[in-house]
Amino acid sequence: MKWRVILEPDSETGDWAVWCPELPGCVSAGETEQEALENIREAIALYLEPERLFEKYFSSHQSLGNLTPLAPLPYEGMGVSKPLDPCLTTG
C-alpha cells in the first residue's frame, strides 16, 4: 500500500521532518531527505503493526463477529465530556 507523506526541511538545522497525514502521530525526521524517508517507512510499519497483529490473531482464532462493545462508563463529574474510543471485548 502506498502512503502519502509530507517532507519539509528545517531552515535552522538543515534536517528534514516527515509525516504521514493519514496516520495521526506518525512522524519522523532525518539529517537528509533520504534518511527522513527511510525513517518514515519504518515509522509507518511500526504504526501499522498493532493492526496487523489484531488481524492475524482474530483471523486465526475466531471471527470478528463475536466482538461486542463494552457498556459506556459514567463520565459525569470526571471532567470528560464524552467517552474516549470504545473498547471491545470478546463475547
Side-chain angles (χ1 to χ4, degrees), residues 32-50:
T32 66
E33 282 183 68
Q34 186 62 35
E35 182 182 19
L37 290 172
E38 290 170 8
N39 291 342
I40 196 66
R41 282 186 189 95
E42 181 180 3
I44 290 170
L46 291 171
Y47 188 101
L48 297 174
E49 187 63 24

Side-chain angles (χ1 to χ4, degrees), residues 74-90:
Y75 289 94
E76 295 175 12
M78 295 177 60
V80 177
S81 60
K82 65 178 184 175
L84 301 176
D85 294 335
C87 297
L88 297 176
T89 183
T90 56

Side-chain angles (χ1 to χ4, degrees), residues 27 34 49 51 58 66 72 81 86:
V27 300
Q34 186 62 35
E49 187 63 24
E51 180 180 327
F58 283 105
N66 292 335
S81 60

Side-chain angles (χ1 to χ4, degrees), residues 3-6 18-27 40 44 47:
W3 295 97
R4 180 175 58 111
V5 297
I6 309 292
V18 61
W19 64 94
C20 182
E22 288 82 13
L23 304 175
C26 188
V27 300
I40 196 66
I44 290 170
Y47 188 101

Side-chain angles (χ1 to χ4, degrees), residues 64-79:
L64 291 174
N66 292 335
L67 294 177
T68 55
L70 293 173
L73 297 174
Y75 289 94
E76 295 175 12
M78 295 177 60

